[in-house]
Amino acid sequence: MAHSRFVKDRGLTARMTLVMFLLGLLFVVLVVGLMAVFRSPGLGLLIGVAGLGLVWWQWYSSDTVAMKAMRAREVTPQQAPELHGMIDRLCALADMPKPRVGIADNRLPNAFATGRSPERAVVVVTTGIMQTLNAEELEGVLAHELSHVAHRDVLVMTAASSAGILAGTLTQGAQYGAIFGGGRRDNNNGLPVWLLVLLVSVVTYAVSFVLIKVLSRYRELSADRSGAYLTMNPQGLASALQKITGEINTIPQKDLRASQSMNAFFIAPAVRGASLKTLTSTHPSLEQRLEQLARIQAELGRPAL
């Protein structure tokens, strides 16, 4: 974890380390499996190098890609003095470098942090969230996002998603091969090569999908906890989460779908209420988050509003 005054979370550190180890092992298994399927070490290594290149590109350009995906723009203190002032205070309180600040012109009330390091990080809020929340609630959201930066879990999530993306690409390639490449077999009695590639890729994607979802849900709870302790106002974040979720439920489904590629990084996913509790969700349920914040509220000895 980067040096800051955010509450240390050894559970998050341990989970990030374990997930990265397992995904690294999974990547090796994928490459070795492809070597065996194609009976070509050179091709397997080529795919491995391409995969590592994908990880590096995602790591290096994560802030740029996310900003473009949300059509966000970086803003100066002169353009957004209140937002900058709030982040200045929180960064001073947390004793951490100030990230860049961005705004996305989007009615979806949300926020996210991304970047390959605390020095290159950017915290982005939508115009929708600034119109929905009051200052105390927005401070809670920003503390949550700054916690992601300080814990470096944005970097881990970005790198972790690469295995799934590579496996998904190979799956599409295998399906393409099935249509246009015929049924060429691995040997006289074996399965078609495209089917073997498809099986290896699907298993890789499924395992990486589960690992990333488990880590994603824990990191959101960790950021809620760290942000609440930093501001000493868990109720502000709890109120913000309730307002954000309520507002998301009023947005048409077609508008939500346009932003769902960013769900893993949002403070609340762009999905309707019932979907928050499914196994495939990137976030814990609203109820679970509110229960944790209520416990912190009670621990701090502050009455709920």
Side-chain angles (χ1 to χ4, degrees), residues 186-218:
D186 148 72
N187 54 52
N188 291 335
N189 300 312
L191 294 171
V193 170
W194 69 265
L195 182 56
L196 291 172
V197 173
L198 182 62
L199 289 173
V200 171
S201 302
V202 166
V203 170
T204 300
Y205 180 82
V207 174
S208 65
F209 179 86
V210 171
L211 289 174
I212 291 170
K213 290 298 181 290
V214 171
L215 175 60
S216 179
R217 287 195 287 270
Y218 186 88

